[in-house]
Amino acid sequence: MNATSPIESAATARVHLADYREPDWRIETVELEFDLDPLDTRVLARLQLRRSGHAIGPLRLDGEGLELLAIRLDGVALGDSDYRLEANGLVVFDARDGSLLETQTRLEPLHNTALSGLYTSKGGSGAVLLTQCEAQGFRRITWFPDRPDVLSRYRVTLRADRQRFPLLLSNGNLLTRGETGDGRHWATWQDPHPKPCYLFALVAGDLATLDDEFVTVEGRRVALRIHANAELIGRCAYAMDALKRAMRWDEVNYGRCYDLDIFQIVATDDFNMGAMENKGLNIFNSKYLLVDPAHSSDEDFRHVEAIVAHEYFHNWTGNRVTCRDWFQLALKEGLTVYREQQFSADSGSVVLKRIEDVQILRRAQFTEDAGPLAHAVRPDSYAAIDNFYTATVYDKGAELIRMLAARLGRAGWRAGMDEYFHRHDGQAATVEQFLAALGGANDLDLSGYLVWYAQAGTPVLSATGQYDAQSKTYTLSLKQSTAPTPGQPIKHSLPIPVRIALLGDNGLPLPLRLADSGAETSDESVLELQQESQSWRFLDIPAAPRAVSLLRGCSAPVRLSTQASATELAFLLSHESDGFNRWEAAQQLARLAFDEQLERLATQPMVKSKSPDRPADSPSAIWCDALASLIGDVTLDPALLAELLSPPDELELAERCTPYDPTLAWMAREALENSLAHALGAATLTRHADLLRQEQGAIDGAAQNRRRLLNRCLALAARREPARVFAIAAQRSVDAPSMSERQAALGVLTRHAAPQADAALASFEQAHATDAVTLDKWFALQARIPSEDTVERVEALLAHPAFSLRNPNRVHALLGTFAIRSPLAFHRADGAGYALFERALIELDGLNPQVAARMATAVRDFRRLEPGRRGRLQAMLRRLQDLPDCSRDLADILRRALDEA
Ligand code: TRP
Ligand code: ZN
């Protein structure tokens, strides 16, 4: 029998936070026995049932796409009238408190293309069987109350062919193992820590292992093992090192030790997301685990360090303390992202890490928050939880934690977190409980922050300042407003911490003393805006400040709207001591320069001069001059300099064009880059040459920082001296000692359609033909070539033998890059880009709904486009919606994007 027949009500049901009820039934212990085979896996589940006092109905278990072979209650086989199979579940009528329920289920992991539940991945020497259960994959493995507030102790036995699956892994510690005599073997794992079923995992396959050990401060010896396909095992060393550093860091900074005898990580090429924190058995997308200098860019290394730490930190924030329901997702994700951000900042540069995090926030979260998919960090209802693993939950969620941590100060934050673990270890908690624990340890009521969790949309903060020479006071007025978002027409005021400094003529901060405060002064202040608008008066300010530095370090996830002039921003760019705000001044200045380019193109679109005349006090000229005076500065951190030399990317700038004309926006950004390249003159190539002399392909922080500037200089120089730079790039794309540089050089050639581009692409393909993760770079580089012909190129690549819609990394590299990073081609006026995307999306949805839904978010902002493209995309979204077997995940995105919630 098969229980997947669609039932309308189930497919359209929404889940509401307000409807939360404690579970009627809990499962105290779970025993699972798997007879593993890619085509025919049998799962025997023994559930020890506990009925709550308040329970009213019969036992109901979730189950999706399962074939039930047998069912027994307290040892007695059940007849047809003793239970009922539903579309997505199983009801057992006579289960009692203390009953033992046994089910036997049949699965076909080989045919599971959704990569949720138990599925297979091609390994070096055959298939690997593995699981992904968050958020609701466990119900695709066996019948169970698939909700995070049901915590159980697991004992898991795996049986499989010994040759094909020598490695048999599950959560917790290995109990016993042995042979069954018929060429099969088995292993039994026991996890002593109660956990929700979304943290269950198993892996069976033929993988190589990197072994290491860690001794906790408590003296526990922990075996560390990373497993990957044999030919990739040499790329695990960096991840192992990052893991050990993360383990130590969590001990030192949060007093949290590891709590099992073994910690394992498995790499797979086929994975829907970055990685998964299964208890004691993390599973990673290879892209975020396997790196070495020959195949991985500096960014890849940074991702590995961050994600290894992220998943490890979940052991406490997520696993030991888990979420009561999926509305609390940010309780584990926002908090864990924040912990990872702290860790990465500690192991590298605080300023650079903050710049990178704010870039992600602006590109992914602010844009999400401004469109039809905007939702609160803790939404109050959802139709498909898979669609809420978003930048809002993760990155805005982390910003909310950052504000709380800043509010409490170092010691208060640590005390609050200690209290949180103390109160909720072993429990499934809520955001309210988290705030209560933090507040409890600090004698504060933090419930005012709840509105940040409940309200979607990015607040706009505006500031005006006034100096009064007579009284020598400076008054700063701050005002907040948040535009309506879907389902939330009325917005409340939020508590917004605003870190500020006033800079004097020499660039030094003026001593700040607030009216109505003591005599003490400080170089900066944190103003907490509570109401819609408020003013603060600073005393003893001898002269009008030269510049105001607002929202230092991006102290709140808001958009800042200031009247700062280009000259004031240029002053901040050269004098601000807060590294982050220095970069921020450069960004703001570049935005003004972009607006100016856009305006010019809109009024005189035919003029395509490379460095058009413009007055010396125009934002563009001021921006270029300021950067020209910095490029030779060898005392500046080269990576920071590279970031100062980079205007906001196309995703951020696109937001500034209403309606959005992709061609115009692209031309304006090109003009912006060209103007900078020409203003910097020969300096870019000079610095490039200097840096090249030091370049040996090392991966330490200093080498990575130099490389960031080296690559940026080459990209800029290509706009001024193309022939010369193309020759350099062609050479470096083949023989530079690091992948970062080779990839950047290849990018220069392809982006400018250099004569050497095709040969360089061909040699890259040849070098990495059998290396999936590295070949993704080759697909992505081509998908983002800024040309209308990229549509045909992507079309051809979809038919490339190495392309497959079954592999999420490939899909992101080719289709994702095309839809998000290739505006000229994707938005081609004849609709060819959309048509290609539509065809691929339909096929993809039939294979992997989670990935299809994520791809579809690329067009969520279609309403911002000029009418022609808007109409085409809207028609496309409607057609997709009308597909008879459109998945629940995709349908949810389409419905919200079309604003038909
Ligand atoms: N919990 C994972 C993390 O952030 C996210 C994750 C991994 C995930 N795989 C998934 C979420 C599949 C949804 C579906 O670390
Ligand atoms: Zn996470």
Side-chain angles (χ1 to χ4, degrees):
M1 76 202 87
N2 195 310
T4 47
S5 71
I7 283 192
E8 253 325 290
S9 65
T12 50
R14 287 190 80 75
V15 186
H16 295 266
L17 171 57
D19 294 344
Y20 175 82
R21 289 187 52 228
E22 278 188 23
D24 279 353
W25 296 82
R26 299 186 182 274
I27 314 288
E28 287 190 334
T29 60
V30 182
E31 262 183 67
L32 298 173
E33 289 181 30
F34 287 86
D35 282 290
L36 293 163
D37 182 274
L39 275 170
D40 183 357
T41 285
R42 306 292 167 108
V43 188
L44 182 65
R46 286 196 197 87
L47 313 182
Q48 200 70 58
L49 307 176
R50 203 33 84 220
R51 189 176 203 267
S52 319
H54 66 257
I56 27 174
L59 173 71
R60 188 189 174 281
L61 303 174
D62 298 299
E64 200 180 286
L66 301 177
E67 184 184 338
L68 183 65
L69 298 179
I71 177 163
R72 279 185 298 276
L73 190 66
D74 296 317
V76 181
L78 295 186
D80 285 352
S81 59
D82 300 326
Y83 67 95
R84 185 176 68 233
L85 276 176
E86 298 179 342
N88 291 305
L90 167 66
V91 180
V92 181
F93 299 118
D94 293 324
R96 288 168 296 107
D97 184 40
S99 283
L100 175 72
L101 181 75
E102 294 168 278
T103 59
Q104 201 190 6
T105 305
R106 202 183 82 91
L107 305 173
E108 288 180 19
L110 188 69
H111 297 138
N112 180 355
T113 57
L115 313 190
S116 163
L118 178 66
Y119 66 98
T120 61
S121 170
K122 259 207 305 300
S125 51
V128 175
L129 285 159
L130 72 162
T131 54
Q132 170 56 40
C133 293
E134 188 177 5
Q136 297 177 333
F138 195 71
R139 63 183 63 184
R140 293 163 58 87
I141 297 175
T142 193
W143 312 92
F144 201 78
D146 190 354
R147 44 188 289 170
D149 57 353
V150 172
L151 275 62
S152 324
R153 287 205 167 78
Y154 284 70
R155 184 184 166 117
V156 179
T157 297
L158 309 174
R159 286 186 288 265
D161 183 272
R162 196 196 162 92
Q163 291 261 284
R164 286 154 69 207
F165 305 99
L167 204 63
L168 299 175
L169 311 177
S170 190
N171 316 86
N173 301 315
L174 180 67
L175 266 192
T176 45
R177 56 183 306 161
E179 310 277 332
T180 52
D182 50 355
R184 291 172 78 78
H185 69 147
W186 55 272
T188 300
W189 293 82
Q190 186 158 39
D191 183 355
H193 301 283
K195 64 169 177 287
C197 67
Y198 81 85
L199 291 172
F200 166 81
L202 77 77
V203 176
D206 185 4
L207 298 171
T209 301
L210 176 68
D211 260 298
D212 210 321
E213 192 188 59
F214 182 86
V215 183
T216 69
V217 284
E218 294 170 340
R220 183 198 286 267
R221 303 182 86 83
V222 183
L224 306 179
R225 291 196 192 130
I226 299 184
H227 310 278
N229 284 331
E231 69 275 14
L232 298 174
I233 195 71
R235 298 186 202 175
C236 293
Y238 187 79
M240 184 65 92
D241 179 63
L243 173 61
K244 289 188 282 185
R245 287 188 284 117
M247 293 177 85
R248 195 61 81 206
W249 188 91
D250 214 16
E251 294 183 348
V252 172
N253 293 280
Y254 285 90
R256 297 296 123 194
C257 292
Y258 189 61
D259 54 3
L260 288 166
D261 301 333
I262 179 166
F263 184 78
Q264 311 196 75
I265 305 180
V266 174
T268 176
D269 283 349
D270 301 291
F271 203 69
N272 281 348
M273 302 272 283
M276 180 62 210
E277 70 265 24
N278 316 300
K279 183 78 186 189
L281 180 57
N282 289 358
I283 298 180
F284 270 61
N285 185 332
S286 312
K287 179 173 159 62
Y288 298 112
L289 192 73
L290 307 179
V291 282
D292 70 10
H295 302 90
S296 319
S297 66
D298 295 340
E299 192 183 31
D300 294 332
F301 278 91
R302 286 201 297 278
H303 284 155
V304 168
E305 176 179 75
I307 297 180
V308 165
H310 177 107
E311 304 311 329
Y312 176 74
F313 295 155
H314 267 317
N315 192 54
W316 278 94
T317 49
N319 301 3
R320 287 287 288 259
V321 184
T322 193
C323 300
R324 187 191 72 172
D325 53 71
W326 290 119
F327 295 101
Q328 320 296 327
L329 184 56
L331 177 66
K332 75 177 177 82
E333 295 305 346
L335 180 53
T336 303
V337 170
Y338 174 70
R339 274 151 50 72
E340 170 272 303
Q341 291 177 348
Q342 280 185 297
F343 165 76
S344 297
D346 274 6
S347 26
S349 148
V350 175
V351 169
L352 283 175
K353 178 64 179 166
R354 189 65 187 136
I355 290 173
E356 283 162 16
D357 292 338
V358 171
Q359 281 172 336
I360 295 172
L361 185 74
R362 289 185 179 149
R363 287 170 194 171
Q365 203 280 322
F366 283 13
T367 50
E368 178 170 77
D369 233 355
L373 303 185
H375 57 273
V377 170
R378 185 169 69 176
D380 42 36
S381 76
Y382 60 74
I385 189 58
D386 293 332
N387 291 336
F388 282 86
Y389 288 76
T390 59
T392 296
V393 168
Y394 278 65
D395 301 308
K396 186 173 179 180
E399 294 299 318
L400 306 194
I401 302 291
R402 181 178 295 270
M403 287 191 289
L404 287 163
R407 167 82 174 79
L408 299 179
R410 218 182 147 76
W413 169 244
R414 173 65 192 266
M417 284 299 288
D418 286 350
E419 182 66 14
Y420 174 60
F421 293 126
H422 174 70
R423 287 189 192 179
H424 299 295
D425 186 10
Q427 298 178 5
T430 62
V431 170
E432 282 84 354
Q433 290 174 323
F434 173 69
L435 293 175
L438 294 185
N442 288 280
D443 243 339
L444 285 170
D445 176 10
L446 297 173
S447 57
Y449 280 87
L450 265 178
V451 56
W452 270 110
Y453 281 89
Q455 183 166 291
T458 308
V460 175
L461 179 75
S462 49
T464 46
Q466 200 151 39
Y467 181 66
D468 181 49
Q470 193 97 57
S471 60
K472 303 218 176 302
T473 59
Y474 181 82
T475 304
L476 185 67
S477 304
L478 298 176
K479 190 174 175 318
Q480 61 172 305
S481 71
T482 306
T485 55
Q488 287 188 338
I490 294 169
K491 298 292 182 181
H492 306 280
S493 292
L494 299 157
I496 301 180
V498 185
R499 255 175 79 196
I500 67 135
L502 303 181
L503 305 189
D505 281 335
N506 52 7
L508 294 175
L510 302 171
L512 299 181
R513 184 162 75 88
L514 275 171
D516 312 319
S517 73
E520 261 178 66
T521 65
S522 58
D523 282 356
E524 64 172 26
S525 256
V526 181
L527 310 175
E528 182 138 336
L529 177 63
Q530 299 277 359
Q531 290 131 40
E532 194 183 326
S533 62
Q534 271 168 268
S535 298
W536 287 263
R537 204 153 59 91
F538 295 96
L539 309 179
D540 309 325
I541 305 291
R546 182 72 171 71
V548 192
S549 184
L550 286 161
L551 211 68
R552 279 182 151 190
C554 188
S555 57
V558 301
R559 290 177 200 262
L560 185 62
S561 131
T562 67
Q563 284 104 45
S565 66
T567 351
E568 194 178 339
L569 292 170
F571 181 81
L572 281 168
L573 171 51
S574 35
H575 289 95
E576 166 63 298
S577 60
D578 179 276
F580 177 85
N581 261 28
R582 190 170 190 188
W583 169 78
E584 178 55 24
Q587 296 289 292
Q588 287 183 31
L589 200 42
R591 282 182 213 130
L592 296 182
F594 174 81
D595 293 347
E596 189 184 337
Q597 300 285 3
L598 201 61
E599 168 98 34
R600 191 178 53 83
L601 283 164
T603 50
Q604 39 182 145
M606 287 298 123
V607 187
K608 269 200 183 168
S609 108
K610 284 220 159 162
S611 45
D613 296 335
R614 72 175 72 83
D617 61 351
S618 76
S620 290
I622 291 174
W623 178 60
C624 289
D625 289 350
L627 293 176
S629 69
L630 283 180
I631 186 162
D633 187 343
V634 289
T635 64
L636 252 182
D637 173 351
L640 178 60
L641 179 54
E643 295 304 328
L644 293 176
L645 293 173
S646 305
D649 79 347
E650 61 268 31
L651 299 179
E652 265 181 68
L653 292 177
E655 282 204 308
R656 304 181 77 79
C657 325
T658 344
Y660 173 45
D661 176 337
T663 315
L664 197 63
W666 183 80
M667 285 171 66
R669 194 171 185 285
E670 284 296 291
L672 190 69
E673 291 253 16
N674 288 336
S675 68
L676 179 61
H678 285 89
L680 297 176
T684 47
L685 263 189
T686 313
R687 273 225 82 169
H688 181 264
D690 287 346
L691 290 158
L692 210 52
R693 272 191 291 280
Q694 300 173 63
E695 176 55 21
Q696 278 158 358
I699 55 147
D700 59 280
Q704 290 195 27
N705 290 351
R706 285 197 301 270
R707 218 154 29 230
R708 210 188 292 195
L709 181 59
L710 182 146
N711 287 336
R712 180 64 187 143
C713 282
L714 191 77
L716 283 165
R719 296 171 180 276
R720 185 171 166 272
E721 285 183 82
R724 187 158 157 217
V725 169
F726 293 164
I728 300 174
Q731 192 74 46
R732 300 303 287 180
S733 74
V734 179
D735 61 14
S738 76
M739 174 55 84
S740 262
E741 202 194 335
R742 289 202 299 277
Q743 191 180 339
L746 189 52
V748 165
L749 298 174
T750 54
R751 141 175 283 274
H752 297 289
Q756 301 91 329
D758 286 340
L761 276 171
S763 95
F764 192 99
E765 181 189 13
Q766 206 184 5
H768 305 292
T770 59
D771 179 350
V773 172
T774 313
L775 201 61
D776 283 336
K777 297 181 190 304
W778 180 82
F779 278 101
L781 269 168
Q782 297 181 77
R784 67 181 302 174
I785 293 176
S787 153
E788 298 200 336
D789 298 340
T790 296
V791 178
E792 281 71 28
R793 191 186 275 267
V794 170
E795 189 82 64
L797 288 170
L798 282 169
H800 189 285
F803 184 81
S804 167
L805 285 172
R806 289 167 192 256
N807 179 262
N809 288 355
R810 268 291 122 92
V811 171
H812 282 288
L814 187 60
L815 272 184
T817 306
F818 174 65
I820 295 168
R821 296 279 173 183
S822 234
L824 292 185
F826 182 65
H827 294 291
R828 202 164 85 181
D830 67 358
Y834 302 154
L836 176 161
F837 189 69
E838 179 177 1
R839 286 193 304 275
L841 205 56
I842 292 170
E843 202 185 327
L844 181 62
D845 193 44
L847 295 166
N848 190 329
Q850 283 184 29
V851 175
R854 197 161 285 265
M855 281 296 122
T857 64
V859 291
R860 66 186 175 208
D861 292 325
F862 73 93
R863 269 179 222 283
R864 298 193 55 249
L865 283 156
E866 50 79 28
R869 289 160 168 117
R870 185 197 315 154
R872 280 184 195 280
L873 275 176
Q874 186 165 37
M876 174 184 106
L877 295 175
R878 294 232 165 93
R879 279 193 303 276
L880 288 169
Q881 217 177 16
D882 289 341
L883 288 175
D885 33 44
C886 181
S887 72
R888 179 195 183 91
D889 284 5
L890 180 57
D892 171 53
I893 297 291
L894 298 172
R895 184 175 55 243
R896 288 190 284 144
L898 284 164
D899 206 6
E900 290 155 8

